[in-house]
Amino acid sequence: MRSLESYILQMRDGRLDIDPQDIMRKLGQLYHINHKINLSSDFLDIPELYWEHPLLETAYLKMTSYLDVPKRVRVINMKMEQCFNLLEMLNSHQNHERSTRLEWIIIILIAIEVVFAFGTAGYAYMANRDKDAQPEQPKKSRRSVAMKFRDASSKQ
């Protein structure tokens, strides 16, 4: 939990340099601790051993009451909930930054495509304009081409 303090200090200073894998590692550690406290341990339940021995069960209940175990577990869970909220917010921030970066890349690619499209259209316009400015050559018929070919063959 104390290792998350550096993230809070970075946020206070207006900068945030966090590796997404580091966030996932911290979330995994917190879930592991949460699992051990709430699911794997007998902090909140009476162990089965004490069910068979009423005197030990009474002593166990007095000890947990004296040590205020349920209240302590509740406080730890509240602290862990704050840590989960912080890490979820950091994860959301990372996802937002990543999606913003991707959106800018897409915008830049679209802008490049538009420039290429205008360039291609401009080139086609200039080519057609130059073509229209030149006088048209009369088209040769097949017959005139065949006659020139025959004349060239006969000269040889």
Side-chain angles (χ1 to χ4, degrees), residues 25-125:
R25 237 179 271 117
K26 297 288 184 193
L27 274 170
Q29 290 170 354
L30 279 176
Y31 277 115
H32 181 71
I33 292 169
N34 193 19
H35 175 78
K36 281 190 166 201
I37 290 173
N38 293 310
L39 300 174
S40 298
S41 66
D42 289 328
F43 285 130
L44 300 175
D45 292 333
I46 300 171
E48 291 182 23
L49 171 70
Y50 298 127
W51 292 357
E52 297 170 7
H53 306 287
L55 290 175
L56 291 177
E57 183 179 355
T58 306
Y60 178 80
L61 290 173
K62 285 182 182 179
M63 180 185 66
T64 56
S65 175
Y66 178 75
L67 295 175
D68 228 357
V69 172
K71 181 181 176 185
R72 291 173 191 257
V73 169
R74 203 169 34 254
V75 168
I76 288 174
N77 282 330
M78 286 173 42
K79 288 181 179 183
M80 290 184 66
E81 185 66 31
Q82 291 297 317
C83 293
F84 280 126
N85 289 339
L86 173 66
L87 288 172
E88 288 298 326
M89 189 269 309
L90 291 174
N91 196 21
S92 174
H93 177 75
Q94 287 282 329
N95 288 337
H96 178 70
E97 280 187 348
R98 197 173 313 124
S99 67
T100 301
R101 192 176 320 120
L102 289 174
E103 286 172 5
W104 275 109
I105 289 170
I106 291 169
I107 289 169
I108 290 168
L109 290 173
I110 290 171
I112 290 170
E113 180 67 26
V114 168
V115 167
F116 279 132
F118 277 126
T120 304
Y123 178 75
Y125 173 76

Side-chain angles (χ1 to χ4, degrees), residues 4-16 86:
L4 299 178
E5 190 172 348
S6 65
Y7 301 145
I8 295 170
L9 295 175
Q10 285 182 26
M11 287 181 356
R12 183 190 69 191
D13 295 339
R15 61 180 172 79
L16 199 55
L86 173 66

